[in-house]
Amino acid sequence: MIKINDNCTGCGLCIADCISEAISMKDGRAQVERPCIECGHCYAICPVDAPEIPGVDMEDVEEINPAEFVDVKALLHTIKGRRSVRQYQNKSIEKDKLALLFEAGRYTATAVNYQDLRFIVVQERLTEFKELIWNGLAVMAEFPEKNPDIERYAGHLKKKAKDPADDYLFRNAPAIIFIVTDRLVDAGLAAQNMELAAVAQGLSVMYNGYMVRAANMVPGAAEWLQTEGRLISACMLAGYPDVTYLKTAPRKKADILWK
Ligand SMILES: Cc1cc2nc3c(=O)[nH]c(=O)nc-3n(C[C@H](O)[C@H](O)[C@H](O)COP(=O)(O)O)c2cc1C
C-alpha cells in the first residue's frame, strides 16, 4: 500500500487527483486510507515527493518537461508515415533499441493500471522458433478435423512445401515481438506505442495476426515463449526496413460524428 511520508505539506493535490479516492486529509497531512490501484498519480503530482509506492523502481522517474513533448505536426507525420513493413534488411536489431520499444510499451495505459503485460522478443533463437511453428502447423494440417483453424494456413504451408526457403509467415524479419496478456486492449495500445518508438529509431514493424493465432494454437509454442498461461495478444515482426515509402498511403475519410 502507498504511504505518505513526512515531506507532506497538506497541499491536497494528491487527494483531488486520486482515482481510488483512497487519500484523505488528517491533521493537515494527506494519509492513504486503503489499498488503491497504485497508478502513481499522487507521486507524479506531489511537489515534495511525499507518496512512497512499494515494489516499483523509483530510479527511472523523470521530471516532466512539456516543452520536450513531440509537437502534434511531427507526431502526425510519424503516424502517417509509418507503414506495415514486409521487407526487412538482414540485420539484427540492437538490444538498446529494442529496450526503448519495451520502455514505450511499459509506459502505456493499462486498464485498472494492471500493467499485466509480458514482452517477448525472439531474435537470437528465431530459427528454433520458426521450426517449432512450421513443424507444428504441418502436424496440425495432418488432422484438419481436430484443428479447424489450420485451414487459414493452407496457403502458407503450400508455399513452404513448394519452396522450403519461403518465409511468408515471418517475412524474413530479424525479430518478432510478442505481447502476452489476457487484456487485448492493453496489448493493442502498448503495441502502437512500441511501433512509434520503433519508427522513431529507423525501425519498422508489422502486426502479424496470423502469427498471434499460430503461436496460441501450435502445441508447445506458448510454453516455448513462456506465456505462463496467458494469451498471446499481439505480435509484431520487427527490423530495419528494406523498402522506402515516398508518400503516405491514402486513407478513407474518418467516420466522425460531432454531436
Ligand atoms: C491486428 C492486426 C493484424 C494484422 N495482421 C497482419 C498479417 O497477419 N499479415 C500482414 O501482412 N499484415 C497484417 N496486418 C497489417 C495490415 O494489413 C496493415 O496495417 C494495413 O494493410 C494498413 O497498412 P499500413 O499498416 O502500412 O498502414 C495486421 C494489422 C493489424 C492491426
Side-chain angles (χ1 to χ4, degrees):
M1 191 161 125
I2 294 182
K3 285 196 175 70
I4 308 285
N5 68 28
D6 289 344
N7 291 351
C8 180
T9 60
C11 71
L13 288 172
C14 59
I15 297 173
D17 202 51
C18 177
I19 182 189
S20 304
E21 297 185 333
I23 316 175
S24 63
M25 193 71 79
K26 193 177 173 203
D27 301 331
R29 289 220 350 228
Q31 66 166 16
V32 181
E33 290 174 353
R34 56 178 170 274
C36 61
I37 66 168
E38 299 191 357
C39 65
H41 279 218
C42 54
Y43 178 80
I45 208 168
C46 180
V48 293
D49 290 355
E52 292 178 359
I53 310 174
V56 292
D57 187 359
M58 303 304 280
E59 292 284 301
D60 54 16
V61 166
E62 294 173 22
E63 295 287 328
I64 295 175
N65 178 5
E68 281 183 18
F69 285 1
V70 63
D71 74 76
V72 69
K73 213 172 149 218
L75 179 64
L76 271 178
H77 190 59
T78 310
I79 289 170
K80 291 178 183 180
R82 54 111 238 135
R83 285 272 75 73
S84 296
V85 160
R86 300 179 177 86
Q87 303 176 69
Y88 294 95
Q89 294 174 35
N90 183 16
K91 180 180 170 189
S92 296
I93 308 176
E94 299 84 344
K95 267 196 170 160
D96 56 340
K97 289 198 172 183
L98 285 168
L100 293 183
L101 266 57
F102 303 130
E103 196 71 345
R106 177 165 86 99
Y107 274 90
T108 304
T110 55
V112 202
N113 193 34
Y114 277 125
Q115 302 180 59
D116 181 34
L117 305 170
R118 172 167 284 181
F119 306 111
I120 301 163
V121 57
V122 185
Q123 180 161 251
E124 285 168 18
R125 294 170 63 191
L126 186 54
T127 308
E128 192 187 322
F129 181 70
K130 283 185 183 185
E131 268 176 37
L132 176 73
I133 294 294
W134 281 123
N135 293 341
L137 290 174
V139 170
M140 290 177 84
E142 289 174 27
F143 307 98
E145 64 291 343
K146 281 193 195 157
N147 305 298
D149 268 356
I150 197 68
E151 207 184 312
R152 296 170 189 269
Y153 298 86
H156 297 87
L157 288 165
K158 213 169 154 188
K159 276 161 80 75
K160 189 80 178 157
K162 209 169 157 199
D163 174 11
D166 181 88
D167 201 41
Y168 193 71
L169 198 49
F170 295 87
R171 301 279 179 177
N172 292 309
I176 310 182
I177 295 166
F178 292 96
I179 303 178
V180 169
T181 175
D182 291 338
R183 302 165 204 283
L184 292 178
V185 174
D186 292 359
L189 293 173
Q192 188 60 92
N193 276 349
M194 290 162 75
E195 177 177 23
L196 292 177
V199 171
Q201 298 182 89
L203 298 162
S204 291
V205 309
M206 188 200 95
Y207 298 103
N208 194 327
Y210 276 96
M211 187 58 63
V212 169
R213 194 180 288 269
N216 277 311
M217 77 181 192
V218 163
E223 290 76 12
W224 192 94
L225 289 167
Q226 297 177 262
T227 61
E228 292 174 2
R230 286 175 293 171
L231 208 60
I232 297 160
S233 292
C235 167
M236 292 181 276
L237 306 182
Y240 287 95
D242 199 17
V243 57
T244 305
Y245 297 101
L246 305 177
K247 291 159 282 182
T248 60
R251 283 287 185 266
K252 290 181 192 172
K253 284 264 176 258
D255 181 3
I256 307 170
L257 303 181
W258 303 87
K259 293 197 178 198

